[in-house]
Amino acid sequence: MTTVTLTKKISLGLAMTATALTMAAAPTTASAMSQKLGGVIGCNASGGKQEAGAVIGGLLGAVAGNKLAKGNKGAGTAIGAVVGAGAGSYAGCQMQKSRAADNAGGVYTSNGIRVSNAVDAAPMTKIKGKYVARSTLNLRSGATTRAQAVGSVQAGETFQALGRTDDGKWILVGQDGVGVGYVSSAYVYRA
């Protein structure tokens, strides 16, 4: 085996190791990044594009870092893997969010919360977390019993909450990070 071939195999091995370490460390760093970028695993829209983007970005970044590094191929590979994984993760999360908006029939932002075009905005406070329905509830397009029912939340069903109206009577139900309707807060509890 020639020295060049051995060097290429070692560099490729380092690239793969750096990518694997980046993905293993992702849950730790994801919590720090989740508020701004969504982290490597913290995207608030469902789907696998973020994780796939992180893996592909990590591999491409590792190869690019290895090729660009002059003196220390190992460090270049590791840095490239980290940067590539972050960029791929961000791009994948944006694709997931775009898909969620399309599925909701379009989205607008109200009080810093993404809301489906089919839902009326109400003054509210942004909240996060999971709630459980005590009974089967109508999912309404507005924060009033006079608003059109656009679906339901079944008794015992856990759902994502995005906001609470200022009067505290209604919870905005989220799906993939987009508000899709309101349920009465009197019939739900925090999971």
Side-chain angles (χ1 to χ4, degrees):
M1 188 177 300
T2 68
T3 305
V4 173
T5 305
L6 183 60
T7 302
K8 285 183 180 180
K9 284 187 176 187
I10 290 172
S11 295
L12 183 57
L14 285 171
M16 293 171 70
T17 302
T19 302
L21 288 173
T22 299
M23 296 311 294
T28 305
T29 58
S31 62
M33 296 180 357
S34 65
Q35 294 301 316
K36 292 287 181 193
L37 299 178
V40 174
I41 59 170
C43 190
N44 65 357
S46 64
K49 294 186 184 318
Q50 182 184 27
E51 292 84 0
V55 170
I56 292 167
L59 288 170
L60 293 175
V63 170
N66 182 276
K67 296 292 183 191
L68 294 173
K70 299 202 189 274
N72 190 341
K73 297 275 188 190
T77 301
I79 292 169
V82 170
V83 172
S89 172
Y90 179 78
C93 183
Q94 295 309 309
M95 291 170 70
Q96 286 173 212
K97 287 179 180 179
S98 177
R99 190 198 73 227
D102 290 344
N103 289 343
V107 174
Y108 66 96
T109 302
S110 175
N111 300 312
I113 302 169
R114 295 175 46 170
V115 182
S116 167
N117 283 338
V119 176
D120 297 329
M124 72 179 78
T125 302
K126 191 174 188 177
I127 62 172
K128 289 185 177 182
K130 302 284 185 183
Y131 283 74
V132 179
R134 294 182 195 277
S135 59
T136 298
L137 305 172
N138 284 323
L139 184 65
R140 300 209 176 259
S141 64
T144 175
T145 55
R146 293 184 301 269
Q148 178 182 0
V150 294
S152 63
V153 178
Q154 300 303 309
E157 185 177 347
T158 301
F159 61 91
Q160 173 188 30
L162 300 178
R164 178 186 297 272
T165 57
D166 288 347
D167 64 8
K169 294 181 179 180
W170 295 90
I171 300 286
L172 179 64
V173 175
Q175 183 176 10
D176 292 332
V178 176
V180 294
Y182 298 91
V183 293
S184 172
S185 62
Y187 302 100
V188 300
Y189 61 92
R190 195 161 180 76

